[in-house]
Amino acid sequence: MSIRLHQLDIHYAALSDDEIEQLWRTSTAGDHDVAVVRQLVLRALEVIHVTCAEAGKAAGLTQDDVVRACDEVAVRLFARLGRDRSIKSVRAVAHALALEVVADRERRRSPTEPRLIERRPRLTLIEGKVQE
């Protein structure tokens, strides 16, 4: 992360939620915008963690699954906030995304274990004339 982004993060952390949201709605693309969106996601992390933990427990997810779900929600929220400034409530969107991610049964939750089994190679004998 550049020093400029780090300085912006420090500056924006001191602002109120209302000030950050107002700045986000009026900002343009660039370092400034990335830092503002990151600040919004950081402020929504509590909602993301609580929602994923509660919904994940009800869905029978492991702690690792919940952590991965939280990470995915944060990334999806960051992407959404970067392109859609018409969102009325960032926390409501974070909550909805968390429920969506946890409820998605098609998504692989736990990493698969590597399958280290010994297999015999499949070889096919091809008979024919060799041309010289």
Side-chain angles (χ1 to χ4, degrees), residues 39-59:
Q39 220 17 256
L40 288 170
V41 172
L42 289 172
R43 292 166 191 232
L45 284 178
E46 182 179 357
V47 171
I48 293 169
H49 287 187
V50 168
T51 304
C52 286
E54 290 175 356
K57 183 177 180 181

Side-chain angles (χ1 to χ4, degrees), residues 20-35:
I20 278 292
E21 284 196 33
Q22 183 60 32
L23 194 57
W24 166 64
R25 292 183 196 293
T26 59
S27 64
T28 57
D31 284 355
H32 172 78
D33 182 53
V34 170

Side-chain angles (χ1 to χ4, degrees), residues 12-26 36 39-40 43 88-91:
Y12 294 146
L15 298 178
S16 72
D17 289 352
D18 290 338
E19 290 171 317
I20 278 292
E21 284 196 33
Q22 183 60 32
L23 194 57
W24 166 64
R25 292 183 196 293
T26 59
V36 171
Q39 220 17 256
L40 288 170
R43 292 166 191 232
K88 299 288 184 215
S89 171
V90 173
R91 286 180 173 84

Side-chain angles (χ1 to χ4, degrees), residues 98-111:
L99 291 176
E100 181 181 315
V101 167
V102 170
D104 185 1
R105 299 242 181 245
E106 296 297 314
R107 182 174 286 107
R108 177 170 290 179
R109 300 293 181 196
S110 297

Side-chain angles (χ1 to χ4, degrees), residues 1 4 7 11 16 18 22-23 34-35 41 48-49 52 67 72 76 86 102 104 114 117-118 122-123 129-130 132:
M1 174 171 29
R4 171 99 172 112
Q7 290 170 337
H11 172 71
S16 72
D18 290 338
Q22 183 60 32
L23 194 57
V34 170
V41 172
I48 293 169
H49 287 187
C52 286
V67 169
E72 182 176 342
R76 288 176 63 180
S86 65
V102 170
D104 185 1
I117 60 171
E118 187 176 316
R122 293 185 187 176
L123 302 175
K129 295 182 182 179
V130 177
E132 293 183 34

Side-chain angles (χ1 to χ4, degrees), residues 77-93:
L77 181 62
F78 185 88
R80 177 120 180 239
L81 294 174
R83 70 177 185 275
D84 184 2
R85 297 199 188 322
S86 65
I87 293 171
K88 299 288 184 215
S89 171
V90 173
R91 286 180 173 84
V93 171

